[in-house]
C-alpha cells in the first residue's frame, strides 16, 4: 500500500515536472524523455515502438535514480556529441524578433548547419534537406551529430531549410550554393507551388551530379527530381513496369500519394522479387529510405543517411561498427499516451488502462470526467518532437478531463477515429481535437471532405482543429500583427473548416533554432478549457444549462436593439425560447406570451436609448468586481480612461443590459463605443473595446457562468475587435472577451466571409439562416401607369401611336425616367417621328421599367424555425431556373425557351437593352413563362396550408397526364411556347426538384439544439442560394471556400465580359481608354462568384491566372498586348478587411500581377501600369517594382473606413473628414516581396488614387444592394479621387450588376436610382417591412440613411429620391402614425436624416417640407422623453 501511495505521489510530482520542463526540453532539442518512464510508471519503451533512442532502451531498476536514468543518459549523450561534433551556433537558442524584412519567418538556416569539428582524414559527404514542417529538423541534426561522433572513416556536413525560408533571397542563394556541393538532397511535403518552383530551380541543374536525390511526397515537379541509382519517378512510369502496375492496382481511393507510398512499403517484398537485380536494389533503397524517413527518430534518420552514403556516395564500405539497423517504427496507427507503458492498438485495452490505472493515479473520476479525443501526427511521435502534445494532454487532465490520443502515419485521420473513438457502435469521446492542423482526410495535398464529414457526423461530437504554427517561429507569430502565415491559413485553417472544424487556436510554435515544437502554455490552457466546456454540453442536463443569448444594436442610441441582416430577431428568439422550453431548459416562471412582450421585457419600452439606462438592467457590476474578474481591464484605460467610463454605466457601476428568464439570459451587446467620436473614427487602427463591452463578456463567463453563448444574427462587434487576423494570441481582444464559453452564432447564409471571421477570431460555431426569398419588385404609381400605356400602345401603335407615345414620354418624365432614358424634349410631338422611331422610344422606356419590375427584392424578414411558404419557394426556384449551369450541363429556362423560338437568349438581351420593343416584349414573355412553369411544378407539392412539406417528383408519370405532357409543359404552351417538349425540361426540373427539397429542409432550430447538446454541426458552403443551391438547407456550420481555388475559369470568363463592357462604355462616353480604375474587393462577393471581381482586376492589367499541378490558383502570366487588343489599364485595389483576412494569398497574386506588368518593356501608351509606376518611382525615389504598389486594405485587425459608422451616427463634421478617414484607414499596402506585414503607405495610396479615371464596384446577388448595407459607400473612393485629382475632374463611377443572367454595367447614379425605385420608394418593399413591426421600421430608416451615404461619398443621389421618400413617409399622416407607433426611435432617426440631408446640401426642398420635419422631430422627441 505504501508503495502504491508513493507511486501515485511520484506520478503527480513527475506530471508537474513535465509541465514545467515541456518548453525547456523542446528548446534544448530533445523530447521530454521524463514522460517515458520504467515499468510501473511510464513503462519500458519497447524497441519495436521506437519511443526512445536506442541508447536508453535498457530495462531499468526501481527507485528515483532509475526513473531519471534515461533522461540523464540522453543529456550526457547529447553533451558528448555537442563537444565532439558540433560547431556551436552563434545565434541565441530561440530565434526572437519580429517581422524584419517583411517576411513571415526570419529563422536562420545557418543555425541548423552541422559541421564536424574534428574531421581529421575522414571522408566527408554533404547533405542538404528541405522540409515543409520542422519536426524532422531535430532528428536530422541529431543523426548527423551521431554519425560525426560514431564513425571513424566518414563524417557528414548537413545544411537544412524549412520550406518557407526559401522566400528570403539571401537564404535562396545560400541554398543554391549548398545544393551545388551536395552529395545527397532530401525533400519532403513540398506542397507550396512558388516554393516548389524554387526547389526545382536549385536542384535540377545538379541532379545528375549528385549521388542521391530523395524526395518524399511533394508536388509532382519536385517528385520528378528523385534519383537513387537507376531508380527515378520516370522509371516507375515505364511500360511493363511491375512497380507501376502494382501502384495502379493498389491506388487508394480518396486519400493521398503518401498513403499509396505507405501501402507500397508494407507490401514491398511482393514487388521487389519481380524486379531485375539492379533495379530491385535501387527501388529497395528508395522504399527503405521512405520507411526510415517515416520512422522519423534520430536512429532511423542516421540509418537512412548511412545507407545512402554507403551505397551511392562511397565506392568502398567505409562504415564502422554495427551493420546499419533496419527501420524501427511504431505501429502505423494506435493510441499513444505519454505515460502509458506502450502504444495500444485497441481502444478496449487503452480504456481499461485509462480507467483502472491512469485515472486513479491522477485523481480523476473516470465515471464523471469528460473524454477528449485527440488526433496526433505520427511524425511528431517518431521524431520525439511531442512536447506540445504532452503539454495539452497534461492540461486537459489537470482540468479534470481524460484523453484518448490517437495517431496514424497515414494522412487519412478518419480511419483511427473510426477504429478508436467508437466502442460497441457508440462514441466514447465528448469532444474531438485535431492537433495535426490538417484536413481530416488527405493532409496538405488532396482532401476528401465528404469522407471526413461522414466520419464526423457519425461521431457527432464538436470537432476542434487546433493549429501548430510551423511556418513561423513562435516568437514571429506572437510579434506578427497578421498572425498565422497565409499559406498555413489556407492549408490548416480554411481546409479543415470544409470538414466542419471550429476553433483554430495556435497551441504550439516552432523554435527558431532547434525546429522543435514549443507548447504555448496560455493557448494550451485556453484550448483545454474550451474543449472541456464543449464536452460539458453533452453531459449536463438541459435544465441545468445556462445560455446567454446576445443581440446587437447598430447604430446605438436609437431604436435599433436586435439588429441583424434580414432577420426578425425577436420573433426568432421567441421561437427559440419556445423550442428550448420544450427541450427541458429552465426558462423561469414568467415567459412572455408573444413577441411584443419579449421586446418590452428587453427594452422596458421601445424608446430604447443606449445613452441612458432605459433598457432593462440585468446586472450592475461594481468597478471593484469588474477589475477583479477582468484581468485585462487595465489595458483598456489607454483608450477609455479608468472604469466605469462613459458607456454602459450609471456613473458608479458598469451596467449589463438584458433580461433573465430562468437560466436563459437575453443580453444586448454594447456598441464599439467610438461611433460618434470624429477623432477616434480617424484612427488608422481600431481602438480596444471599452469597459462596458468587457464587463458584458465578463458577466457571461464569470458571473452568469454560461455554458454557451448564442450570438443572434449578422452581426455583432466581438469578432471585429482588434487583434491578429487569424491565429489569436492571449492578447487579442476577441480571445480575451469570449474566454472559455462555447460560441454558437446565427449567421446569414449569404454572408460566408464575415461568418468565417466570426469562426476564426471569436471561435464561433456558425449556424446559417435563410435570407427572405427574393420576389420581383413590381411596378407602382407612375411606373405602373407607364407600363399600362405601353400595353395599350402595342395594340394601337398604328392608329393612335403618336398620342400614346406623347403620354408615355410625359408620364416617364414625372417618374424621373428621363435621367435613365434619352427622351424627346417636353414640347416635342412624336407624330413627327416614323413608326420605327416611336417603337425605339417605347422600347427604351419599356426596357427601363422592366428592369425595375423584374429587379429581385427580398421581402420582409426571416424568422428562424419558420420554413418558407410555397409562394416563397416559387420565388426562389424561379431565380434558380433562370441561370445556366454549364458545370452540371443544365441550360437555364430562358435559354431553353429562346431556343424553342429559334433565338439565342444573349441576342434577345442585347437587342432588348438597345431598346428593341419586340425583343423587350419577348424577354418579358419568357420571364412570365418561367414563373408559370415553376408555379405548376411546385403546386404538385403544396399542401392546404400553402406550405411544401413533402416534395413530389416534378417529372413523374409524364405520359399519364392525358398525353398532354407535364404541368410545366402545359403552362409554357399557354404562354405561347408550344415547341418546347418535356425531354427539353427533364434535366432542369429534376434539378429544381432537388433544390425544392433543400429549400424546405430547414434545420435552423434543430442545429441550435444540436449545438447546445454538444453535437457536431454539419458544415456547408455559404453564399447565394440562387447561384449555389448547396447553400441549402440552412442550419449548417458555414464555411467559405478553399482560398487557393479562385478565381475559377468560369469566373474569369464572366470577368472578361464585364470588364470589356465597362471599357466599351467608358470609351463610348469619353472617347479614350481610362488610364486607371479604382476597384473595391469584398470577401463575400468573391466567395459567391468564385472570384469574379478578383479576375476583373487581373484582366484589366492584362494578366492570366494559372493553376499549379494540384489545381490551386497561384501562378500568373502576362497576356501579350496583341492578344489583349487594348492598353493595360492601371488599377488601385481597395480590399475590405474581411477580404484581407480570407484571401491574403489572392492579394499576393494581384500584387505580383501588377509588378509583373510594371516591369514589362512596353510602350507607355499601351501599358498605363508601367507609365504610372515610372512616375511614382521618380516621385518617391524608389524602384519601379516598389512603386507598382496597388493593393491596399486596413491595418491587420482593423476593418472598414469608419465612413459608414460616421454617417450612421451623424458624428462627422464634413466630407473632408470622411475622405481623411478613408485614406488613413485604407492606406495599408500589401507587398508580395514582403508578405509578412501591411505597410502604412497612405502617400502611395493617395498618389495612385490621384490618377484614377473610373471607380468601380460589383453587385452579385439580389439580397444585398447599394443601400441595404453601409459597406458599399464606406469603401467607395469617388469623392476622394475627385478631391485628389489636380485637374478638378470627377471620375466616372460604374457598377457591374451580375444579379441576373443579363449582366449590366450601369453608372453609380443609375444604380442608386434603381435601388431607390425598387426598395425605399416601392410599396411592395416598405409594406413588407412594416409587417415586421419594430424591426421593419428600422430597416426602412436604414435604407434612407444609406442612401444619404451615397450623397456624402459619391454625390450619386438625385434630388427626386429624397423628395419622393419625403412624400411617402413624411407627408402622408397615416404613414407617419404607423412608423411612430411601431418604432419611435427609428422614426426620429428618419426625420433627422431628412433634415441632415437638407442641411448638408444633398436635398433641395420646400420650406413647407422642412417646417413639417422640424415640428415632427419635436413631437417625436417629446414622446420618446415621455413629456
Amino acid at each position: 500500500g505504501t508503495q502504491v501511495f508513493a507511486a501515485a505521489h511520484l506520478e503527480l510530482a513527475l506530471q508537474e515536472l513535465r509541465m514545467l520542463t515541456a518548453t525547456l526540453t523542446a528548446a534544448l532539442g530533445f523530447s521530454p524523455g521524463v514522460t517515458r518512464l520504467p515499468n510501473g510508471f511510464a513503462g519500458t519503451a519497447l524497441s519495436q515502438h521506437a519511443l526512445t533512442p536506442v541508447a536508453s532502451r535498457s530495462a531499468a531498476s526501481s527507485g528515483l535514480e532509475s526513473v531519471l536514468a534515461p533522461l540523464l543518459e540522453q543529456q550526457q549523450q547529447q553533451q558528448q556529441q555537442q563537444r565532439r561534433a558540433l560547431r556551436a551556433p552563434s545565434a541565441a537558442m530561440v530565434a526572437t524578433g519580429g517581422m524584419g524584412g517583411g517576411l513571415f519567418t526570419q529563422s536562420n538556416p545557418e543555425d541548423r548547419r552541422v559541421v564536424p569539428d574534428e574531421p581529421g582524414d575522414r571522408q566527408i559527404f554533404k547533405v542538404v534537406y528541405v522540409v515543409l514542417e520542422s519536426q524532422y529538423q531535430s532528428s536530422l541534426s541529431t543523426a548527423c551529430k551521431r554519425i560525426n561522433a560514431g564513425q571513424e572513416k566518414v563524417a557528414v556536413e548537413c545544411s537544412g531549410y524549412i520550406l518557407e525560408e526559401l522566400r528570403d533571397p539571401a537564404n535562396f542563394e545560400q541554398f543554391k550554393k549548398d545544393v551545388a556541393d551536395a552529395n545527397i538532397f532530401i525533400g519532403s511535403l513540398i506542397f507550396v507551388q512558388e516554393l516548389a518552383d524554387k526547389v526545382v530551380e536549385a536542384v535540377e541543374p545538379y541532379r545528375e551530379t549528385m549521388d542521391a536525390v530523395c524526395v518524399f511526397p511533394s508536388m509532382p515537379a519536385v517528385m520528378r527530381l528523385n534519383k537513387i541509382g537507376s531508380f527515378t519517378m520516370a522509371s516507375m512510369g515505364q511500360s511493363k513496369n511491375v512497380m507501376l502496375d502494382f501502384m495502379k492496382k493498389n491506388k487508394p481511393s480518396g486519400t493521398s500519394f503518401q498513403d499509396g507510398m505507405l501501402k507500397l512499403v508494407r507490401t514491398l517484398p511482393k514487388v521487389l522479387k519481380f524486379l531485375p537485380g539492379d533495379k530491385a536494389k535501387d527501388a529497395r533503397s528508395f522504399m527503405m529510405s521512405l520507411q526510415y524517413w517515416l520512422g522519423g527518430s534520430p536512429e532511423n534518420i542516421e540509418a537512412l543517411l548511412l545507407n545512402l552514403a554507403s551505397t551511392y556516395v562511397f565506392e568502398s564500405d567505409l562504415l564502422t561498427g554495427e551493420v546499419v539497423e533496419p527501420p524501427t517504427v511504431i505501429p502505423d496507427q494506435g493510441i499513444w499516451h505519454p505515460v502509458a507503458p506502450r502504444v495500444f492498438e485497441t481502444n478496449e485495452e487503452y480504456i481499461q488502462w485509462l480507467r483502472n490505472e491512469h485515472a486513479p493515479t491522477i485523481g480523476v473520476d473516470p465515471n464523471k470526467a469528460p473524454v477528449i479525443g485527440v488526433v496526433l501526427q505520427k511524425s511528431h511521435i517518431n521524431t520525439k518532437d511531442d512536447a506540445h502534445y504532452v503539454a495539452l494532454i497534461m492540461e486537459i487532465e489537470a482540468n479534470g478531463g481524460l484523453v484518448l490520443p490517437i495517431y496514424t502515419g497515414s494522412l487519412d485521420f478518419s480511419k483511427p477515429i473510426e477504429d478508436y473513438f467508437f466502442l460497441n457502435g457508440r462514441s466514447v469521446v465528448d469532444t474531438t481535437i485535431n492537433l495535426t492542423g490538417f484536413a481530416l482526410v488527405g493532409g496538405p495535398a488532396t482532401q476528401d471532405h465528404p469522407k471526413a464529414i461522414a466520419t464526423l457526423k457519425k461521431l457527432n461530437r464538436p470537432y476542434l482543429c487546433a493549429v501548430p504554427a510551423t511556418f513561423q517561429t513562435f516568437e514571429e507569430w506572437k510579434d506578427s500583427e497578421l498572425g498565422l502565415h497565409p499559406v498555413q491559413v489556407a492549408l490548416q485553417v480554411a481546409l479543415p473548416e470544409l470538414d466542419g472544424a471550429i476553433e483554430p487556436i495556435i497551441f504550439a510554435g516552432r523554435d527558431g533554432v532547434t525546429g522543435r515544437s514549443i507548447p504555448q502554455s496560455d493557448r494550451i490552457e485556453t484550448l483545454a478549457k474550451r474543449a472541456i466546456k464543449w464536452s460539458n454540453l453533452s453531459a449536463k442536463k438541459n435544465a441545468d444549462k445556462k445560455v446567454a443569448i446576445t443581440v446587437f444594436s447598430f447604430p446605438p442610441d436609437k431604436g435599433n436593439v436586435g439588429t441583424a441582416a434580414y432577420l426578425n430577431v425577436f420573433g426568432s428568439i421567441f421561437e427559440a425560447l419556445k423550442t428550448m422550453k420544450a427541450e427541458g431548459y429552465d426558462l423561469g416562471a414568467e415567459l412572455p406570451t408573444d413577441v411584443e412582450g419579449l421586446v418590452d421585457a428587453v427594452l422596458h419600452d421601445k424608446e430604447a436609448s443606449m445613452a441612458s439606462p432605459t433598457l432593462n438592467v440585468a446586472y450592475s457590476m461594481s468597478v471593484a468586481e469588474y477589475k477583479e474578474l477582468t484581468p485585462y481591464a487595465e489595458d483598456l484605460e489607454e483608450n477609455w480612461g479608468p472604469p466605469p467610463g462613459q458607456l454602459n454605466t450609471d456613473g458608479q457601476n458598469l451596467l449589463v443590459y438584458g433580461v433573465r428568464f430562468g437560466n436563459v439570459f437575453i443580453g444586448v451587446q454594447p456598441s464599439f463605443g467610438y461611433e460618434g467620436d470624429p477623432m477616434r473614427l480617424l484612427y488608422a487602427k481600431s481602438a480596444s473595446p471599452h469597459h462596458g463591452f468587457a464587463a458584458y463578456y465578463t458577466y457571461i463567463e464569470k458571473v452568469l457562468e454560461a455554458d454557451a453563448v448564442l450570438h443572434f444574427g449578422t452581426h455583432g462587434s466581438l469578432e471585429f475587435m482588434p487583434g491578429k487576423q487569424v491565429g489569436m494570441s492571449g492578447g487579442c481582444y476577441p480571445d480575451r472577451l469570449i474566454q472559455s464559453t462555447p460560441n454558437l452564432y446565427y449567421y446569414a447564409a449569404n454572408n460566408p466571409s464575415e461568418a468565417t471571421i466570426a469562426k476564426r477570431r471569436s471561435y464561433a460555431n456558425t449556424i446559417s439562416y435563410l435570407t427572405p426569398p427574393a420576389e420581383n419588385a413590381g411596378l407602382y404609381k407612375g411606373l405602373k401607369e407607364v407600363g399600362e400605356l405601353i400595353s395599350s400602345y402595342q395594340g394601337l401603335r398604328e392608329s393612335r401611336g403618336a398620342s400614346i407615345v406623347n403620354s408615355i414620354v410625359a408620364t416617364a418624365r414625372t417618374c424621373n425616367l428621363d435621367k435613365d432614358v434619352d427622351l424627346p424634349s417636353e414640347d416635342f410631338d412624336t407624330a413627327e417621328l416614323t413608326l420605327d422611331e416611336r417603337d425605339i422610344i417605347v422600347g427604351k422606356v419599356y426596357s427601363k421599367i422592366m428592369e425595375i419590375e423584374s429587379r429581385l427584392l427580398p421581402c420582409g424578414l426571416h424568422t428562424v424555425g419558420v420554413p418558407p411558404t410555397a409562394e416563397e419557394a416559387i420565388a426562389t426556384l424561379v431565380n434558380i431556373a433562370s441561370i445556366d449551369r454549364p458545370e452540371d450541363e443544365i441550360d437555364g429556362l430562358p435559354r431553353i425557351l429562346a431556343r424553342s423560338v429559334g433565338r439565342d437568349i444573349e441576342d434577345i438581351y442585347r437587342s432588348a437593352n438597345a431598346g428593341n420593343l419586340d425583343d423587350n416584349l419577348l424577354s418579358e414573355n419568357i420571364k412570365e413563362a418561367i414563373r408559370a412553369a415553376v408555379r405548376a411544378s411546385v403546386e404538385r407539392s403544396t399542401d392546404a396550408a400553402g406550405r411544401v412539406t413533402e416534395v413530389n417528383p416534378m417529372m413523374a408519370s409524364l405520359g399519364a397526364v392525358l398525353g398532354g405532357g407535364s404541368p410545366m409543359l402545359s403552362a409554357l404552351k399557354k404562354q405561347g411556347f408550344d415547341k418546347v417538349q418535356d425531354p427539353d425540361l427533364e434535366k432542369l426540373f429534376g434539378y429544381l426538384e432537388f433544390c425544392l427539397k433543400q429549400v424546405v429542409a430547414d434545420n435552423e432550430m434543430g442545429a441550435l439544439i444540436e449545438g447546445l447538446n454538444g453535437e457536431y454541426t454539419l458544415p456547408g458552403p455559404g453564399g447565394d442560394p440562387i447561384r449555389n443551391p448547396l447553400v441549402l438547407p440552412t442550419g449548417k456550420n458555414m464555411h467559405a471556400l478553399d482560398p487557393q481555388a479562385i478565381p475559377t475559369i468560369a469566373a474569369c470568363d464572366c470577368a472578361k465580359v464585364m470588364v470589356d463592357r465597362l471599357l466599351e462604355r467608358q470609351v463610348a462616353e469619353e472617347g479614350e481608354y481610362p488610364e486607371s480604375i479604382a476597384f473595391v474587393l469584398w470577401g463575400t462577393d468573391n466567395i459567391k462568384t468564385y472570384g469574379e471581381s478578383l479576375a476583373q482586376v487581373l484582366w484589366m492589367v492584362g494578366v492570366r491566372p494559372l493553376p499549379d499541378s494540384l489545381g490551386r490558383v497561384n501562378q500568373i502570366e502576362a497576356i501579350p498586348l496583341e492578344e489583349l487588343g487594348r492598353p493595360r489599364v492601371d488599377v488601385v485595389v481597395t480590399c475590405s478587411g474581411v477580404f484581407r483576412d480570407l484571401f491574403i494569398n489572392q492579394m499576393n497574386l494581384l500584387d505580383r500581377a501588377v509588378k509583373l506588368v510594371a516591369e514589362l518593356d512596353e510602350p507607355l501608351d499601351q501599358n498605363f501600369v508601367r507609365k504610372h509606376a515610372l512616375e511614382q518611382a521618380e516621385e518617391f525615389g524608389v524602384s519601379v517594382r516598389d512603386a507598382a504598389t496597388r493593393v491596399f486594405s486596413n491595418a491587420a485587425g482593423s476593418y472598414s473606413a469608419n465612413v459608414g459608422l460616421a454617417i450612421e451616427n451623424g458624428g462627422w463634421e464634413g466630407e473632408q473628414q470622411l475622405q481623411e478617414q478613408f485614406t488613413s484607414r485604407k492606406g495599408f499596402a500589401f507587398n508580395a516581396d514582403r508578405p509578412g506585414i501591411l505597410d502604412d503607405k497612405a502617400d502611395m495610396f493617395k498618389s495612385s488614387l490621384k490618377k484614377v479615371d473610373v471607380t468601380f464596384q460589383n453587385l452579385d446577388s439580389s439580397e444585398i444592394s447599394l443601400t441595404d448595407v453601409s459597406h458599399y459607400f464606406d469603401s467607395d473612393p469617388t469623392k476622394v479621387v475627385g478631391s485628389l485629382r489636380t485637374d478638378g475632374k470627377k471620375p466616372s463611377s460604374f457598377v457591374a450588376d451580375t444579379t441576373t443572367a443579363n449582366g449590366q454595367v450601369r453608372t453609380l447614379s443609375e444604380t442608386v436610382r434603381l435601388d431607390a425605385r425598387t426598395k425605399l420608394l416601392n410599396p411592395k418593399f416598405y409594406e413588407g417591412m412594416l409587417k415586421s413591426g419594430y424591426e421593419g421600421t428600422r430597416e426602412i430608416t436604414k435604407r434612407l440613411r444609406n442612401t444619404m451615404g451615397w450623397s456624402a461619398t459619391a454625390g450619386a443621389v438625385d434630388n427626386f429620391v429624397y423628395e419622393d421618400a419625403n412624400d411617402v413617409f413624411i407627408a402622408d399622416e397615416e404613414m407617419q402614425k404607423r412608423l411612430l407607433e411601431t418604432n419611435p426611435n427609428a422614426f426620429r432617426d428618419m426625420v433627422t436624416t431628412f433634415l441632415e440631408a437638407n442641411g448638408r446640401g444633398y436635398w433641395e426642398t420646400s420650406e413647407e417640407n422642412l417646417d413639417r420635419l422640424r415640428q415632427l422631430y419635436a413631437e417625436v422627441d417629446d414622446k420618446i422623453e415621455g413629456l
Side-chain angles (χ1 to χ4, degrees), residues 714-732:
T714 306
H715 60 73
S717 310
L718 171 67
E719 60 268 36
F720 296 101
M721 284 296 169
K724 299 180 189 301
Q725 279 180 207
V726 187
M728 301 293 101
S729 73
C732 296

Side-chain angles (χ1 to χ4, degrees), residues 626-670:
Y626 166 67
K627 283 183 167 181
E628 180 190 345
L629 298 180
T630 313
Y632 55 90
E634 201 172 304
D635 296 349
L636 311 185
E637 294 187 17
E638 179 187 352
N639 281 306
W640 302 100
Q646 305 297 314
L647 300 159
N648 291 68
T649 177
D650 58 9
Q652 298 293 317
N653 304 297
L654 289 147
L655 304 179
V656 176
Y657 293 125
V659 63
R660 282 279 297 266
F661 296 111
N663 282 340
V664 176
F665 164 65
I666 301 173
V668 182
Q669 185 189 72

Side-chain angles (χ1 to χ4, degrees), residues 218-431:
S218 293
M219 299 288 282
V222 189
M223 289 298 297
R224 284 194 285 273
L225 295 171
N226 263 306
K227 185 202 77 165
I228 298 185
S230 61
F231 173 84
T232 64
M233 286 289 122
S235 71
M236 285 177 68
Q238 290 166 1
S239 58
K240 298 182 181 177
N241 182 289
V242 178
M243 188 170 286
L244 178 70
D245 290 344
F246 176 84
M247 288 192 80
K248 280 181 180 173
K249 286 175 192 168
N250 292 278
K251 185 180 179 185
S253 60
T255 49
S256 67
F257 178 83
Q258 177 153 338
D259 287 343
M261 300 291 269
L262 286 168
K263 191 169 184 183
L264 195 52
V265 166
R266 284 195 289 272
T267 48
L268 191 62
K270 295 181 196 171
V271 182
L272 295 181
K273 64 186 179 186
F274 295 114
L275 292 177
D278 59 331
K279 284 199 174 170
K281 185 190 90 169
D282 296 330
R284 187 182 293 111
S285 289
F286 176 74
M287 290 301 170
M288 290 295 281
S289 298
L290 175 64
Q291 214 168 1
Y292 279 125
W293 182 257
L294 295 173
S297 65
E299 298 77 25
N300 280 314
I301 302 300
E302 180 185 10
L304 161 65
L305 296 177
L306 291 177
N307 255 337
L308 290 174
S310 64
T311 310
Y312 300 104
V313 178
F314 304 118
E315 291 182 6
S316 57
D317 189 6
L318 300 175
L319 303 185
T320 55
E322 299 175 14
V323 177
V324 175
E325 291 188 9
T328 50
V329 293
I330 58 176
D332 277 351
Q333 68 171 38
I335 306 173
W336 172 88
H337 190 291
V339 301
R342 59 193 171 88
V343 169
F344 295 93
E345 295 191 64
T346 70
N347 59 5
E348 290 97 332
E349 292 177 295
Y350 176 78
I351 290 168
Q352 192 174 353
W353 170 82
L354 186 70
R355 293 178 64 87
N356 299 338
E357 295 183 42
H358 186 58
T361 305
I362 60 174
V364 171
D365 181 349
N367 296 313
K368 294 180 180 177
V371 178
I372 313 296
V374 178
V375 182
L376 311 174
Q377 234 179 317
K378 182 171 179 250
S379 59
H380 280 283
I381 300 170
N382 283 339
T383 59
K384 303 182 184 60
D385 179 23
D386 55 14
H388 53 325
Y389 292 169
V390 174
L392 179 64
I393 290 168
M394 297 305 160
E395 185 67 26
I396 291 170
E397 292 178 348
N399 278 276
L402 293 174
V403 186
L404 204 170
I406 60 172
Y407 73 85
T408 176
S410 155
L411 289 174
D412 180 356
F413 300 103
S414 68
K415 189 174 187 309
I417 285 180
E418 295 269 8
D419 291 348
Y420 301 132
F421 283 2
F422 292 94
L423 195 60
N424 301 323
R426 295 187 61 183
S427 167
V428 293
V429 300
D430 300 303
T431 294

Side-chain angles (χ1 to χ4, degrees), residues 867-877 935 938-939 941-943 945-948 996 1000:
T869 62
E871 284 301 314
E872 291 167 338
I874 288 166
T876 301
L877 289 186
R935 179 175 296 281
V938 174
E939 278 174 351
S941 303
T942 305
D943 62 20
R947 294 191 180 274
V948 179
L996 181 60
V1000 298

Side-chain angles (χ1 to χ4, degrees), residues 242 254 284 507 534 586 917 959 1036 1054 1093 1336 1392 1413:
V242 178
R284 187 182 293 111
F507 75 103
W534 274 111
D586 175 5
L917 181 58
K1036 292 176 182 167
C1054 293
S1093 54
T1392 305
L1413 285 162

Side-chain angles (χ1 to χ4, degrees), residues 333-576:
Q333 68 171 38
I335 306 173
W336 172 88
H337 190 291
V339 301
R342 59 193 171 88
V343 169
F344 295 93
E345 295 191 64
T346 70
N347 59 5
E348 290 97 332
E349 292 177 295
Y350 176 78
I351 290 168
Q352 192 174 353
W353 170 82
L354 186 70
R355 293 178 64 87
N356 299 338
E357 295 183 42
H358 186 58
T361 305
I362 60 174
V364 171
D365 181 349
N367 296 313
K368 294 180 180 177
V371 178
I372 313 296
V374 178
V375 182
L376 311 174
Q377 234 179 317
K378 182 171 179 250
S379 59
H380 280 283
I381 300 170
N382 283 339
T383 59
K384 303 182 184 60
D385 179 23
D386 55 14
H388 53 325
Y389 292 169
V390 174
L392 179 64
I393 290 168
M394 297 305 160
E395 185 67 26
I396 291 170
E397 292 178 348
N399 278 276
L402 293 174
V403 186
L404 204 170
I406 60 172
Y407 73 85
T408 176
S410 155
L411 289 174
D412 180 356
F413 300 103
S414 68
K415 189 174 187 309
I417 285 180
E418 295 269 8
D419 291 348
Y420 301 132
F421 283 2
F422 292 94
L423 195 60
N424 301 323
R426 295 187 61 183
S427 167
V428 293
V429 300
D430 300 303
T431 294
T432 300
I433 310 177
N434 181 348
L435 294 185
T436 71
F438 289 122
L440 194 69
V441 182
T446 54
Q447 295 79 39
D448 186 343
H449 299 295
K451 183 179 181 184
I453 291 166
T455 298
L456 293 167
K457 182 58 187 167
K458 180 180 169 188
L459 187 66
N460 203 24
R461 290 290 180 261
Y463 175 57
L464 285 59
C465 197
V467 184
T470 50
F471 284 57
Q472 302 138 285
T473 68
F474 74 95
E475 289 286 347
E476 287 166 339
W477 162 71
K478 280 180 178 173
D479 292 346
S480 165
E481 287 186 347
L482 294 173
L484 197 62
H485 188 295
V487 173
Q488 200 169 355
V489 172
L491 288 177
Q492 297 192 311
V493 178
L495 293 178
E497 283 171 350
L498 304 184
D499 295 338
I502 55 175
E503 311 214 359
I505 295 170
I506 310 300
F507 75 103
R510 170 168 64 87
D511 172 46
V513 176
T514 65
R516 301 186 76 82
S517 297
I518 305 290
Q520 301 293 302
S521 58
D522 76 308
R523 304 288 75 216
I524 281 174
E525 182 184 355
T526 296
L527 180 58
K529 283 182 177 175
R530 292 190 64 79
I532 285 175
K533 275 271 195 95
W534 274 111
S535 299
N536 291 342
L537 288 173
S538 56
K540 264 192 175 184
K541 292 179 181 174
N542 286 349
D544 298 331
K545 291 178 193 170
K546 292 178 181 175
V547 180
I549 297 176
T550 297
V551 299
F552 315 120
S553 180
F554 281 139
D557 266 346
K558 308 200 173 99
N560 288 323
V561 174
T563 44
Y566 283 118
L567 184 65
N568 182 338
V569 172
F570 285 110
S572 299
I573 291 175
F574 188 70
E575 292 297 322

Side-chain angles (χ1 to χ4, degrees), residues 841-1062:
I841 292 172
V842 175
K844 284 181 177 176
V845 174
Y846 189 60
S847 176
K848 179 52 64 177
I849 66 165
M850 284 301 103
E851 182 178 70
I852 295 166
E853 191 276 339
S854 61
R855 183 85 168 164
L856 293 174
L857 177 72
C859 286
L861 299 172
H862 177 68
T863 302
V864 166
V866 179
T869 62
E871 284 301 314
E872 291 167 338
I874 288 166
T876 301
L877 289 186
V878 163
N879 301 325
I880 292 173
S882 299
I883 297 177
D884 291 332
R885 299 179 194 276
E887 66 280 6
D888 297 313
E889 298 181 343
I890 297 173
D891 285 341
L893 205 42
R895 187 171 301 282
I896 294 170
L897 297 182
R899 195 161 50 224
S900 76
V901 295
R903 297 287 302 279
D904 178 74
I905 190 66
E906 269 86 16
D907 287 344
I908 296 171
Y909 289 151
R910 263 193 299 273
S911 173
N913 292 342
N916 182 294
L917 181 58
D918 289 340
D919 280 342
N920 266 298
L921 294 168
L922 175 57
S923 177
E924 187 56 24
N925 194 21
I926 286 172
K927 288 177 197 167
E928 291 299 328
I930 293 168
R931 287 175 202 162
V934 170
R935 179 175 296 281
S937 73
V938 174
E939 278 174 351
R940 301 184 64 171
S941 303
T942 305
D943 62 20
R947 294 191 180 274
V948 179
T949 47
E950 189 177 338
V951 178
N952 295 314
M954 292 183 178
M955 299 299 292
S957 308
L958 298 184
V961 194
L962 302 175
S966 66
M968 294 76 77
L969 191 68
S970 302
L972 291 174
K973 286 185 175 176
K974 282 178 189 170
Q975 292 291 326
F977 294 96
D978 48 14
K979 293 187 179 174
V980 180
Q981 297 300 319
D982 269 324
D984 303 329
L985 305 176
E986 195 157 357
K987 200 164 188 179
L988 172 63
F989 278 91
Y991 183 73
L992 292 180
E993 182 186 318
F994 160 77
C995 292
L996 181 60
K997 288 175 181 173
Q998 305 309 303
V999 168
V1000 298
D1002 160 62
N1003 190 39
E1004 294 170 1
M1005 197 62 77
L1008 170 62
I1009 298 304
E1010 288 158 13
L1012 291 173
N1013 287 342
E1015 297 175 20
Y1016 171 73
T1017 306
L1018 271 175
D1024 181 358
I1026 308 300
R1027 287 174 184 261
N1028 181 12
L1030 294 178
V1031 168
L1032 304 168
T1034 44
K1036 292 176 182 167
N1037 183 7
M1038 222 188 327
H1039 57 70
L1041 41 72
D1042 178 356
Q1044 297 181 103
I1046 64 170
T1048 61
I1049 293 170
C1052 290
D1053 291 343
C1054 293
K1056 180 181 182 302
V1057 171
M1058 298 317 291
V1059 166
D1060 289 350
R1061 285 184 185 173
L1062 167 67

